[in-house]
């Protein structure tokens, strides 16, 4: 498989929504997520000759790894402040979907950063475990073990704090 302009366009259409969703949930800022998404694709296109023909799955993992590194670089600069969402302010009734998101964020916030990232890659970005292993540069078995531990911890938090 060669990554020509048409194939890159197909990959953009297929990968970008998941990558953008991951970035929004990770960064908590749609504008910043959009900036990092663009930077990620730009860096990927600039480095494409070094990527070679490793296939669509590996390209996706490679792209998520670039995005992950861009997030880390952003945080190293000390810009970790999450903006206040004014759309939630002044509302007397928050939608069920928003309540669910807040509930999930409360549980995730009690997990380690590594566990949060793992769960976001798997369930928000909907990535297969093998891709996550490539992104995190760890063995797929280790991903499964860490995922199991993270979910077990989340269930424990849910049970103990929310009596579910």
């Amino acid at each position: 498989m060669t990554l020509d302009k048409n194939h890159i366009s197909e990959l953009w259409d297929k990968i970008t929504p998941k990558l953008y969703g991951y970035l929004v949930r990770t960064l908590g800022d749609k504008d910043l997520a959009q900036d990092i998404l663009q930077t990620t694709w730009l860096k990927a296109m600039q480095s494409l000759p070094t990527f070679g023909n490793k296939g669509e799955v590996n390209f996706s993992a490679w792209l998520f790894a670039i995005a992950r590194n861009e997030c880390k670089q952003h945080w190293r600069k000390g810009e970790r402040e999450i903006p206040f969402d004014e759309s939630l302010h002044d509302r007397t009734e928050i939608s069920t979907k928003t309540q669910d998101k807040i509930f999930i964020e409360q549980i995730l916030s009690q997990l380690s950063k590594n566990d949060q990232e793992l769960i976001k890659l798997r369930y928000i970005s909907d990535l297969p475990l093998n891709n996550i292993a490539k992104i995190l540069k760890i063995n797929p078995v280790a991903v499964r073990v860490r995922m199991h531990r993270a979910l077990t911890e989340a269930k424990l938090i849910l049970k103990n704090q929310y009596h579910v």
Side-chain angles (χ1 to χ4, degrees), residues 34-84:
Q34 186 68 34
D35 290 345
I36 290 185
L37 176 71
Q38 298 301 325
T39 302
T40 298
W41 273 99
L42 178 64
K43 286 189 175 189
M45 294 302 98
Q46 290 171 338
S47 301
L48 194 56
T50 62
F51 175 72
N53 285 333
K54 298 176 185 171
E56 182 179 319
V57 172
N58 287 333
F59 183 81
S60 176
W62 181 60
L63 200 61
F64 269 84
I66 293 170
R68 181 174 179 252
N69 288 336
E70 287 300 307
C71 289
K72 286 182 177 182
Q73 184 175 351
H74 170 76
W75 290 327
R76 274 187 223 115
K77 293 178 183 175
E79 300 172 12
R80 293 195 73 151
E81 183 176 319
I82 297 174
F84 177 71

Side-chain angles (χ1 to χ4, degrees), residues 52-152:
N53 285 333
K54 298 176 185 171
E56 182 179 319
V57 172
N58 287 333
F59 183 81
S60 176
W62 181 60
L63 200 61
F64 269 84
I66 293 170
R68 181 174 179 252
N69 288 336
E70 287 300 307
C71 289
K72 286 182 177 182
Q73 184 175 351
H74 170 76
W75 290 327
R76 274 187 223 115
K77 293 178 183 175
E79 300 172 12
R80 293 195 73 151
E81 183 176 319
I82 297 174
F84 177 71
D85 187 351
E86 292 195 29
S87 66
L88 296 178
H89 189 66
D90 294 334
R91 282 192 185 173
T92 56
E93 188 174 310
I94 299 175
S95 72
T96 302
K97 189 174 181 180
T98 303
Q99 288 176 345
D100 290 346
K101 286 180 182 180
I102 292 169
F103 182 66
I104 291 167
E105 285 298 325
Q106 288 173 341
I107 293 170
L108 284 176
S109 70
Q110 296 178 55
L111 298 173
S112 71
K113 294 293 182 194
N114 289 337
D115 287 349
Q116 288 177 34
E117 181 174 33
L118 192 60
I119 289 173
K120 287 176 184 178
L121 286 169
R122 179 68 178 128
Y123 295 105
I124 294 170
S125 299
D126 196 29
L127 293 176
L129 296 176
N130 286 338
N131 281 15
I132 295 170
K134 290 174 186 169
I135 292 167
L136 300 178
K137 297 178 183 171
I138 59 176
N139 185 298
V141 174
V143 171
R144 285 183 184 90
V145 170
R146 288 182 185 183
M147 181 64 68
H148 176 74
R149 288 179 184 160
L151 292 174
T152 301

